[in-house]
Amino acid sequence: MKDQYGRAVDYLRLSVTDLCNYRCRYCMPEEGVCKLSHRDVLSVEECVEAVRAAARCGVTKVRLTGGEPLVRRGILDICRGIAAIPEIQELCLTTNGSRLPELAGPLRLAGVDRLNISLDTLRPERFAAMTRTGTLRQALEGIAAAEEAGFTGLKVNAVLIGGFNDDEIGDFLDLTVEKPWEVRFIELMPMGPCAEWDRSCFLSSQAVLERFPQLEPVEARGVALRYRLPGARGTVGFISPLSHTFCAKCRRIRITADGRLKSCLHSREEIPLKGLRGRELEEAIRRGILQKPEEHHLTQRPSDTPRSMNQIGG
Ligand code: SAM
Ligand code: SF4
């Protein structure tokens, strides 16, 4: 269905947990988050029921996220349940990759079509420092496991952070020469722990593009502008929520792990879905779609949402 600005909303990001085995400095405080009580988190059945209701409102694509979706108990049941909904044409998952060595194969069997794997740096010591608890080796083994399990069209997401990984952009581009991946650079958004970081940490995609004039534009996909190095197997994507408001093209809604519908990542507005069923659930989702704001205001001020990314679902 369309929102009041004529955008057809067909994409749901469902957070299945706010917990994570990493503590990326821009996303989560070191001590982690206050664990939601079991009662507050959507159950496996409620996750599937929410997607079923969203599908009746026109959603055809679902991305599972978190927190880290692969630490959620019952993740394979959630995937199987969603993949069995006839209207859902595409089921994707965003992960830090650490649990893919044991889960990539089962996820594919459970009906996951595509994976996005986060990888902000290619240097082991930086990876450990940024994630606080992870290792680069785990992430690379996760990517290898995804390929072995037969996932194609892998997207590797790197959040660009001035003074942290902006000297590695060339190394990331080089990866696409051999690998058929889409390496996507995501602008850091001022929310949660990084809301007050120095301005120099926030880099615009445009500034990166200007440094690499050899990148040739290819067809845009969704909200990503895409490029390719001449002769490369893979592509390079730029997701620019900060500098280029992509709101006019935004077709997404989100449901948090505690069952709150957010029609904009950066808005304070939330519609509680927990406890609703059938028609009531569907009506609440329709209301959320109709209330989707026209745009966010990140270019003028930090995100309006008091939540950090792990508490919404990136
Ligand atoms: N744990 C999974 C992962 O890291 O891929 C899924 C959840 S994570 C919140 C989803 C994505 O959001 C990751 O690619 C992460 O880098 C990104 N992210 C988190 N905080 C962000 C921020 N402030 N600005 C931009 N991207 C952010
Ligand atoms: Fe965890 Fe993903 Fe947030 Fe890193 S970005 S702390 S892996 S949820």
Side-chain angles (χ1 to χ4, degrees):
M1 74 176 261
K2 288 196 175 162
D3 70 3
Q4 55 176 323
Y5 302 102
R7 294 168 296 194
V9 172
D10 56 5
Y11 181 8
L12 167 65
R13 293 194 170 201
L14 174 65
S15 172
V16 292
T17 180
D18 62 336
L19 300 179
C20 186
N21 51 345
Y22 287 1
R23 295 282 181 274
C24 300
R25 289 174 190 272
Y26 54 83
C27 178
M28 260 176 123
E30 183 156 25
E31 63 280 11
V33 283
C34 251
K35 194 171 181 293
L36 288 170
S37 100
H38 187 66
R39 264 200 334 267
D40 295 333
V41 176
L42 291 184
S43 66
V44 169
E45 294 72 26
E46 284 172 326
C47 286
V48 178
E49 179 65 24
V51 176
R52 219 176 269 126
R56 290 197 295 273
C57 301
V59 164
T60 57
K61 174 174 172 180
V62 175
R63 174 172 302 283
L64 299 179
T65 178
E68 174 48 45
L70 300 188
V71 303
R72 165 74 201 246
R73 201 176 300 151
I75 182 66
L76 294 174
D77 293 326
I78 295 174
C79 294
R80 275 189 285 270
I82 295 173
I85 299 171
E87 294 93 334
I88 300 304
Q89 294 161 13
E90 205 178 352
L91 174 59
C92 310
L93 186 142
T94 299
T95 172
N96 63 28
S98 59
R99 295 208 60 210
L100 283 175
E102 62 273 28
L103 283 174
L107 285 169
R108 225 172 124 60
L109 289 175
V112 174
D113 298 302
R114 288 197 299 111
L115 293 177
N116 285 14
I117 303 173
S118 300
L119 183 66
D120 296 332
T121 170
L122 300 169
R123 312 224 180 142
E125 65 293 351
R126 285 188 184 175
F127 192 97
M130 179 53 80
T131 61
R132 294 187 177 113
T133 58
T135 66
L136 177 64
R137 207 173 111 197
Q138 276 174 332
L140 296 178
E141 284 174 1
I143 296 178
E147 288 191 309
E148 262 165 52
F151 282 103
T152 54
L154 281 186
K155 294 197 178 119
V156 173
N157 289 343
V159 176
L160 273 176
I161 305 171
F164 169 67
N165 60 2
D166 49 336
D167 56 346
E168 294 185 57
I169 296 168
D171 299 339
F172 275 107
L173 295 185
D174 287 346
L175 274 182
T176 65
V177 174
E178 295 293 327
K179 303 286 187 185
W181 306 337
E182 176 153 309
V183 171
R184 304 178 124 200
F185 295 111
I186 302 173
E187 286 178 349
L188 178 68
M189 294 179 278
M191 53 195 301
C194 67
E196 305 301 333
W197 283 10
D198 191 81
R199 289 177 71 88
S200 60
C201 299
F202 298 86
L203 300 178
S204 83
S205 306
Q206 197 51 40
V208 176
L209 271 167
E210 281 163 15
R211 275 172 55 194
F212 297 93
Q214 63 273 46
L215 286 171
E216 297 167 346
V218 295
E219 193 197 343
R221 213 177 266 167
V223 293
L225 291 178
R226 297 167 69 240
Y227 298 81
R228 192 188 292 276
L229 282 178
R233 290 181 74 202
T235 52
V236 180
F238 288 89
I239 316 262
S240 318
L242 207 57
S243 62
H244 260 253
T245 13
F246 58 47
C247 305
K249 288 203 275 176
C250 179
R251 307 164 76 99
R252 304 170 182 177
I253 51 172
R254 297 168 193 263
I255 299 178
T256 63
D258 52 347
R260 295 184 160 256
L261 179 78
K262 283 180 73 68
S263 54
C264 170
L265 173 59
H266 298 293
S267 151
R268 281 182 170 273
E269 301 305 320
E270 299 181 354
I271 297 181
L273 302 180
K274 181 104 180 141
L276 303 183
R277 316 207 52 170
R279 275 246 27 108
E280 254 188 343
L281 180 58
E282 190 181 325
E283 286 310 319
I285 295 175
R286 284 189 193 279
R287 209 165 59 243
I289 294 176
L290 284 174
Q291 286 171 11
K292 187 171 167 66
E294 187 173 15
E295 56 187 14
H296 64 61
H297 304 283
L298 278 189
T299 44
Q300 293 118 50
R301 56 176 192 261
S303 181
D304 291 335
T305 178
R307 291 177 181 251
S308 51
M309 271 301 242
N310 72 295
Q311 294 170 317
I312 301 173

